[in-house]
Amino acid sequence: MSHGNENKKKTPGLQRNIGLMAAVNIIISVMIGSGIFVSPTAALRYSGSIGFCLVVWTACGFVSLLGALCFAELGTVIPRSGAEYAYLFEAFAKQNKFWGPLPAFLLSWVFVLVLRPAEIAVIVLTFAEYSIQPLVPVLGMTHMSVHDLEKLIKLIALLGLGIITYINLSSVKLYVRINNIFSVCKVIACLIVIGGGIYQLAIGKTENLQSGFKGTTTNLGHIALAFYNGLWAYDGWSSVTTVTEEIKCPEKNIPRSIMIGVPIITGLYVFMNLAYMTVLTPHEMMTAPAVAVEFGNRILGPMAFLIPLGVALSTFGCALSVQFGVTRLCFVAGREGHFLEPMSYIHVKRSTPGPAVALQGIITFMFIVVGDIEALIEFASFLIWVAYGSAFVSLLVLRRTHPDIPRPYKVPIIIPIFALLVAIFLSVMPIISEPSIKYLAALAFIFSGIAVYTPFVYHKIRPRWMNKFTYLLQCLFEAAPPPKEL
């Protein structure tokens, strides 16, 4: 690749605009969504005691860190965006002409078309719900019918999606600035909750904590479900490796951002749960529609509106970063011929993958309008740990097939083995604990991808209209193919 300034200006491509703190903020932004504010109660329900519940939250943070460190090695060995997709492609694509690239294709098929857009849709709907909550009494909307309120929430969600898509279309630097602001705001919201808990402890409110480990479950199934739900709240620790090609000095900043970001989240999550427990009884925590809002109403008085505001800011920042990440997966898949080629095209001036961003905006728009997205999330959510597991397998395969490749960061071999066992457990656990037709539906959707892969990817059949479609997208988004060296 040429290092001349002139060539850099002429050649469209992703630019390295994300420094260490921006990388940390991506991790914080994706990991802290609405879960810790709205429903952090499943771990408490299954653990049986507040003492063991705090142990579970701490252990989940540690397991997440181990998984993230595996991704840190993979991100430095394979310096390409796309996270699990890139690792699967690198580990298996050359093993067999047909079967080798298939796992990577199927992962992109599920993540790009269903999982991530559905996830963004749920997050922006939560953003809409909590952003209007403090305004309902002020604007006299308390008498509004449920149907009209749902319409208003959907409208605000679509407006939020439009703003998110516009930011990601416009500029990576703009995304970084806005995401940094929202990450700081959501950490402040977490610290407000923690501060409220510290105040309660300082004035001697410890009666809810006195039960300690009393009632701790000995049921292995319940312990497993407690960990499953805790780890679900920590999901997002791999987010920084989705945008590897835009990180400055990725060989240093990916491991550093993970070692900073994940422990910060662990500390916030453990102390937020402790804060909730000082104010609410276990029964109140498990029955409250939104735990943090109930907490705020109890102790923040006239400042209680800060909690729904914090949830709104948190979810907006989370949706912004999830969309930013999945568009890079879409971009990499397009570049490898696993998706429509124009999805890999970059805006000639803004250095953003415009067609990929627009596609994600359109799919998410359809999910919001159609509704019942939770069912989509449920049917595909267990696939997230299948994807993580595939990445850990990729790490082990690359250790064997490419032992001499430079590894700026290297984890002890026991860590990916342990992480793989956790991933297998978390992939199988939901199916065993709650057998459902939705898992068959998920598998059916995955295998439907083979019907697309065989003619269009393996046999490279290209419909005639693709040239006109590609030309149209190039004109519409002022986009051009990225440099071949990438």
Side-chain angles (χ1 to χ4, degrees), residues 35-36 38-47 53 57 226 229 273 276 280-291:
I36 194 63
V38 179
S39 56
T41 52
L44 175 61
R45 186 183 308 115
Y46 289 115
S47 56
C53 179
W57 279 101
N229 285 283
N273 272 280
Y276 294 146
L280 306 170
T281 65
H283 176 72
E284 286 170 335
M285 276 185 71
M286 286 186 270
T287 53
V291 176

Short mmCIF file of all heavy atoms in Angstrom, two decimals, residues 35-36 38-47 53 57 226 229 273 276 280-291:
data_model
loop_
_atom_site.label_atom_id
_atom_site.label_comp_id
_atom_site.label_asym_id
_atom_site.label_seq_id
_atom_site.Cartn_x
_atom_site.Cartn_y
_atom_site.Cartn_z
N GLY A 35 -30.04 -3.27 29.82
CA GLY A 35 -30.20 -4.42 30.71
C GLY A 35 -29.91 -4.15 32.16
O GLY A 35 -30.72 -4.49 33.04
N ILE A 36 -28.78 -3.51 32.46
CA ILE A 36 -28.38 -3.29 33.85
C ILE A 36 -29.31 -2.29 34.55
O ILE A 36 -29.43 -2.28 35.77
CB ILE A 36 -26.90 -2.84 33.95
CG1 ILE A 36 -26.39 -2.93 35.39
CG2 ILE A 36 -26.71 -1.44 33.38
CD1 ILE A 36 -26.35 -4.34 35.95
N VAL A 38 -32.75 -1.88 33.51
CA VAL A 38 -34.15 -2.30 33.42
C VAL A 38 -34.39 -3.64 34.11
O VAL A 38 -35.29 -3.78 34.94
CB VAL A 38 -34.61 -2.35 31.95
CG1 VAL A 38 -36.07 -2.81 31.87
CG2 VAL A 38 -34.46 -0.98 31.31
N SER A 39 -33.61 -4.68 33.77
CA SER A 39 -33.94 -6.02 34.28
C SER A 39 -32.70 -6.85 34.63
O SER A 39 -32.46 -7.88 34.01
CB SER A 39 -34.78 -6.76 33.24
OG SER A 39 -34.08 -6.80 32.01
N PRO A 40 -31.91 -6.42 35.62
CA PRO A 40 -30.75 -7.22 36.01
C PRO A 40 -31.09 -8.27 37.07
O PRO A 40 -30.32 -8.54 37.96
CB PRO A 40 -29.81 -6.16 36.60
CG PRO A 40 -30.74 -5.18 37.23
CD PRO A 40 -32.01 -5.19 36.41
N THR A 41 -32.30 -8.85 36.96
CA THR A 41 -32.84 -9.63 38.08
C THR A 41 -32.76 -11.14 37.88
O THR A 41 -32.89 -11.89 38.85
CB THR A 41 -34.31 -9.26 38.32
OG1 THR A 41 -35.01 -9.36 37.07
CG2 THR A 41 -34.43 -7.85 38.83
N ALA A 42 -32.56 -11.61 36.64
CA ALA A 42 -32.58 -13.06 36.41
C ALA A 42 -31.45 -13.75 37.17
O ALA A 42 -31.64 -14.84 37.72
CB ALA A 42 -32.48 -13.35 34.91
N ALA A 43 -30.29 -13.09 37.22
CA ALA A 43 -29.15 -13.67 37.96
C ALA A 43 -29.49 -13.81 39.44
O ALA A 43 -29.14 -14.80 40.09
CB ALA A 43 -27.90 -12.80 37.78
N LEU A 44 -30.23 -12.83 39.99
CA LEU A 44 -30.65 -12.88 41.41
C LEU A 44 -31.67 -14.00 41.62
O LEU A 44 -31.57 -14.77 42.58
CB LEU A 44 -31.24 -11.53 41.82
CG LEU A 44 -31.84 -11.44 43.23
CD1 LEU A 44 -30.79 -11.72 44.28
CD2 LEU A 44 -32.46 -10.06 43.45
N ARG A 45 -32.62 -14.11 40.69
CA ARG A 45 -33.67 -15.13 40.82
C ARG A 45 -33.06 -16.54 40.87
O ARG A 45 -33.45 -17.35 41.70
CB ARG A 45 -34.64 -15.02 39.65
CG ARG A 45 -35.85 -15.95 39.76
CD ARG A 45 -36.77 -15.89 38.55
NE ARG A 45 -37.15 -14.52 38.22
CZ ARG A 45 -36.81 -13.90 37.09
NH1 ARG A 45 -36.09 -14.52 36.17
NH2 ARG A 45 -37.19 -12.67 36.86
N TYR A 46 -32.11 -16.80 39.97
CA TYR A 46 -31.56 -18.15 39.87
C TYR A 46 -30.46 -18.43 40.89
O TYR A 46 -30.22 -19.59 41.24
CB TYR A 46 -31.04 -18.41 38.46
CG TYR A 46 -32.15 -18.54 37.44
CD1 TYR A 46 -32.30 -17.61 36.42
CD2 TYR A 46 -33.06 -19.60 37.50
CE1 TYR A 46 -33.33 -17.73 35.49
CE2 TYR A 46 -34.09 -19.72 36.58
CZ TYR A 46 -34.21 -18.78 35.57
OH TYR A 46 -35.23 -18.90 34.66
N SER A 47 -29.79 -17.39 41.39
CA SER A 47 -28.69 -17.63 42.35
C SER A 47 -29.22 -17.92 43.75
O SER A 47 -28.56 -18.59 44.54
CB SER A 47 -27.72 -16.45 42.37
OG SER A 47 -28.40 -15.26 42.67
N CYS A 53 -25.39 -13.91 44.22
CA CYS A 53 -25.69 -13.10 43.04
C CYS A 53 -24.52 -12.16 42.70
O CYS A 53 -24.11 -12.04 41.55
CB CYS A 53 -26.96 -12.28 43.27
SG CYS A 53 -27.39 -11.23 41.88
N TRP A 57 -22.12 -12.04 39.32
CA TRP A 57 -21.83 -10.85 38.50
C TRP A 57 -20.33 -10.62 38.37
O TRP A 57 -19.83 -10.26 37.30
CB TRP A 57 -22.50 -9.60 39.09
CG TRP A 57 -23.95 -9.50 38.74
CD1 TRP A 57 -25.02 -9.82 39.54
CD2 TRP A 57 -24.50 -9.08 37.49
NE1 TRP A 57 -26.20 -9.62 38.86
CE2 TRP A 57 -25.92 -9.16 37.61
CE3 TRP A 57 -23.95 -8.63 36.29
CZ2 TRP A 57 -26.77 -8.81 36.57
CZ3 TRP A 57 -24.81 -8.29 35.25
CH2 TRP A 57 -26.20 -8.38 35.40
N ALA A 226 -28.18 -18.69 36.13
CA ALA A 226 -27.71 -17.43 36.73
C ALA A 226 -26.52 -16.89 35.94
O ALA A 226 -26.46 -15.71 35.60
CB ALA A 226 -27.34 -17.64 38.20
N ASN A 229 -27.59 -15.68 32.33
CA ASN A 229 -28.21 -14.36 32.31
C ASN A 229 -27.21 -13.26 32.64
O ASN A 229 -27.27 -12.16 32.08
CB ASN A 229 -29.40 -14.32 33.27
CG ASN A 229 -30.60 -15.05 32.69
OD1 ASN A 229 -31.29 -14.54 31.82
ND2 ASN A 229 -30.83 -16.27 33.15
N ASN A 273 -25.53 -3.49 41.19
CA ASN A 273 -26.38 -4.51 41.81
C ASN A 273 -26.39 -4.38 43.32
O ASN A 273 -27.45 -4.51 43.96
CB ASN A 273 -25.89 -5.90 41.40
CG ASN A 273 -26.52 -6.37 40.10
OD1 ASN A 273 -27.65 -6.84 40.08
ND2 ASN A 273 -25.80 -6.21 39.00
N TYR A 276 -28.66 -1.46 44.16
CA TYR A 276 -30.07 -1.84 44.09
C TYR A 276 -30.49 -2.60 45.34
O TYR A 276 -31.57 -2.38 45.90
CB TYR A 276 -30.34 -2.75 42.87
CG TYR A 276 -30.15 -2.10 41.52
CD1 TYR A 276 -29.66 -2.84 40.44
CD2 TYR A 276 -30.47 -0.76 41.31
CE1 TYR A 276 -29.50 -2.27 39.19
CE2 TYR A 276 -30.31 -0.17 40.06
CZ TYR A 276 -29.82 -0.93 38.99
OH TYR A 276 -29.66 -0.37 37.76
N LEU A 280 -33.81 -1.91 47.53
CA LEU A 280 -34.94 -2.79 47.20
C LEU A 280 -34.71 -4.19 47.77
O LEU A 280 -33.58 -4.68 47.79
CB LEU A 280 -35.09 -2.90 45.67
CG LEU A 280 -35.22 -1.57 44.91
CD1 LEU A 280 -35.12 -1.82 43.41
CD2 LEU A 280 -36.54 -0.89 45.22
N THR A 281 -35.79 -4.81 48.23
CA THR A 281 -35.69 -6.20 48.67
C THR A 281 -35.55 -7.09 47.43
O THR A 281 -35.92 -6.66 46.33
CB THR A 281 -36.95 -6.62 49.45
OG1 THR A 281 -38.07 -6.61 48.55
CG2 THR A 281 -37.21 -5.70 50.63
N PRO A 282 -35.06 -8.33 47.60
CA PRO A 282 -34.98 -9.23 46.44
C PRO A 282 -36.32 -9.36 45.70
O PRO A 282 -36.36 -9.37 44.48
CB PRO A 282 -34.54 -10.56 47.05
CG PRO A 282 -33.74 -10.15 48.25
CD PRO A 282 -34.42 -8.93 48.78
N HIS A 283 -37.43 -9.45 46.48
CA HIS A 283 -38.75 -9.58 45.84
C HIS A 283 -39.07 -8.33 45.02
O HIS A 283 -39.59 -8.43 43.90
CB HIS A 283 -39.82 -9.80 46.92
CG HIS A 283 -41.22 -9.86 46.35
ND1 HIS A 283 -41.67 -10.93 45.61
CD2 HIS A 283 -42.24 -8.94 46.39
CE1 HIS A 283 -42.92 -10.69 45.22
NE2 HIS A 283 -43.29 -9.49 45.68
N GLU A 284 -38.78 -7.14 45.57
CA GLU A 284 -39.05 -5.89 44.85
C GLU A 284 -38.20 -5.79 43.59
O GLU A 284 -38.66 -5.32 42.54
CB GLU A 284 -38.78 -4.69 45.77
CG GLU A 284 -39.85 -4.50 46.83
CD GLU A 284 -39.45 -3.47 47.87
OE1 GLU A 284 -38.23 -3.24 48.07
OE2 GLU A 284 -40.36 -2.89 48.49
N MET A 285 -36.95 -6.25 43.67
CA MET A 285 -36.08 -6.22 42.49
C MET A 285 -36.64 -7.12 41.39
O MET A 285 -36.58 -6.78 40.21
CB MET A 285 -34.67 -6.69 42.85
CG MET A 285 -33.78 -5.59 43.42
SD MET A 285 -32.08 -6.16 43.68
CE MET A 285 -31.47 -6.32 42.00
N MET A 286 -37.17 -8.26 41.79
CA MET A 286 -37.62 -9.23 40.78
C MET A 286 -38.99 -8.88 40.19
O MET A 286 -39.35 -9.36 39.13
CB MET A 286 -37.65 -10.64 41.38
CG MET A 286 -36.26 -11.23 41.55
SD MET A 286 -36.26 -12.94 42.09
CE MET A 286 -36.25 -12.78 43.85
N THR A 287 -39.74 -8.01 40.88
CA THR A 287 -41.08 -7.68 40.38
C THR A 287 -41.15 -6.28 39.78
O THR A 287 -42.13 -5.96 39.11
CB THR A 287 -42.13 -7.77 41.52
OG1 THR A 287 -41.69 -6.97 42.64
CG2 THR A 287 -42.31 -9.22 41.96
N ALA A 288 -40.12 -5.45 39.98
CA ALA A 288 -40.13 -4.09 39.43
C ALA A 288 -40.02 -4.14 37.90
O ALA A 288 -39.20 -4.87 37.37
CB ALA A 288 -38.97 -3.28 40.00
N PRO A 289 -40.86 -3.36 37.17
CA PRO A 289 -40.78 -3.35 35.70
C PRO A 289 -39.43 -2.83 35.20
O PRO A 289 -38.91 -3.29 34.19
CB PRO A 289 -41.90 -2.40 35.28
CG PRO A 289 -42.69 -2.09 36.49
CD PRO A 289 -41.91 -2.47 37.69
N ALA A 290 -38.89 -1.83 35.94
CA ALA A 290 -37.55 -1.31 35.60
C ALA A 290 -36.85 -1.01 36.92
O ALA A 290 -37.22 -0.07 37.64
CB ALA A 290 -37.66 -0.05 34.75
N VAL A 291 -35.85 -1.82 37.25
CA VAL A 291 -35.23 -1.78 38.58
C VAL A 291 -34.63 -0.41 38.89
O VAL A 291 -34.86 0.16 39.95
CB VAL A 291 -34.15 -2.87 38.70
CG1 VAL A 291 -33.43 -2.78 40.04
CG2 VAL A 291 -34.78 -4.25 38.57
#
